[in-house]
Amino acid sequence: MLFQDVAQQVAEEALSEEKTLSIADLIVGGGPGSIIIVLILFILLFIALYIYFERIFAIKAASKIDKNFMNQIRDHVSNGKLEAGKILCAQTDAPVARLIEKGISRIGKPLEDINKAIENAGTLEVYKLEKNVSILATVAGAAPMIGFLGTVIGMIIAFHEMATSGGQAEIGALASGIYTAMTTTVAGLVVGIIAYIGYNHLVVRTDKVVHQMEANAVEFLDLLDEPA
């Protein structure tokens, strides 16, 4: 009985070890097609993560501004200290400050011209905030498609094995094609989901900065439009 128990335990451990499959084994088991496509997807994942973190830090820096900034601008403009206002804007590294500086430099011209100058400067600032974000959106759409391409390739390999064997192919012969189909599909969806979530998060954060820019620009224009 003791020998049978030990033999059964060894058999169960061996079976559990056989069922254990690492990610690396899963990728390699799909053959050259799976390896190439998964490598492409890993490259896209690296690009997506790099763009996401680079942009999130840039947007975070752009949103930081002293709460008293507009109060100081109001004091300088009201007292006619335009140069002091320009210096304050130049010392503040934020999109809002650059918009206000553009507006201060146009003081003396019609309010419509000042508004247009601020709008043009705002367009440039938004473009800077959205730099490379479109690439993230492209990765979000392309990664699943590349994964599905691997699925099609894998199924072609599997059916080719069946065709060349006269319909009598063993499961082992079909494994490479099936592995390619499954691993590339999963990898493509994972990369696409990560890129999609990252893209939408960046859009939300960018919209907040744009709203901050618009609010401060309106406050500045209201300051200029106040009766003397």
Side-chain angles (χ1 to χ4, degrees):
M1 288 292 295
L2 181 60
F3 176 76
Q4 290 179 351
D5 292 340
V6 172
Q8 184 178 0
Q9 184 178 0
V10 171
E12 290 177 353
E13 291 178 355
L15 184 60
S16 64
E17 289 178 358
E18 290 178 359
K19 291 182 178 180
T20 301
L21 187 64
S22 66
I23 296 177
D25 293 335
L26 190 62
I27 295 173
V28 174
S34 174
I35 294 173
I36 292 173
I37 291 177
V38 171
L39 285 177
I40 293 173
L41 290 172
F42 273 138
I43 293 173
L44 292 178
L45 177 61
F46 174 79
I47 293 173
L49 292 175
Y50 174 81
I51 292 175
Y52 172 76
F53 285 109
E54 188 273 333
R55 284 293 86 200
I56 202 68
F57 288 130
I59 294 172
K60 186 177 180 180
S63 63
K64 288 183 177 180
I65 189 169
D66 189 355
K67 294 181 179 179
N68 294 321
F69 174 77
M70 287 306 300
N71 292 330
Q72 293 176 321
I73 291 295
R74 176 181 293 273
D75 292 339
H76 290 321
V77 173
S78 300
N79 296 325
K81 300 178 180 179
L82 301 184
E83 287 301 322
K86 290 181 181 180
I87 293 174
L88 176 61
C89 291
Q91 293 174 344
T92 306
D93 185 16
V96 171
R98 288 188 282 272
L99 295 188
I100 302 303
E101 183 179 12
K102 183 66 67 173
I104 292 176
S105 65
R106 295 294 191 277
I107 289 180
K109 295 184 178 181
L111 191 62
E112 183 177 346
D113 293 345
I114 299 175
N115 185 27
K116 187 65 177 178
I118 292 176
E119 286 182 357
N120 292 337
T123 301
L124 294 176
E125 293 298 331
V126 172
Y127 176 77
K128 293 178 183 178
L129 291 173
E130 294 178 344
K131 179 183 177 182
N132 294 330
V133 174
S134 60
I135 298 177
L136 199 60
T138 301
V139 172
M145 295 175 65
I146 294 174
F148 291 142
L149 174 63
T151 302
V152 174
I153 293 174
M155 298 310 297
I156 290 174
I157 294 174
F159 282 114
H160 176 73
E161 290 293 338
M162 294 179 63
T164 54
S165 63
Q168 301 297 323
E170 297 180 356
I171 297 298
L174 303 177
S176 178
I178 296 173
Y179 268 26
T180 299
M182 296 299 102
T183 55
T184 56
T185 300
V186 172
L189 290 174
V190 169
V191 175
I193 290 170
I194 292 174
Y196 181 75
I197 293 174
Y199 170 77
N200 281 281
H201 186 232
L202 289 179
V203 169
V204 171
R205 293 294 298 270
T206 301
D207 287 344
K208 289 183 178 179
V209 178
V210 172
H211 177 72
Q212 183 186 53
M213 292 164 54
E214 291 175 347
N216 284 275
V218 169
E219 183 179 350
F220 176 75
L221 292 173
D222 289 343
L223 169 64
L224 298 182
D225 199 33
E226 288 179 356

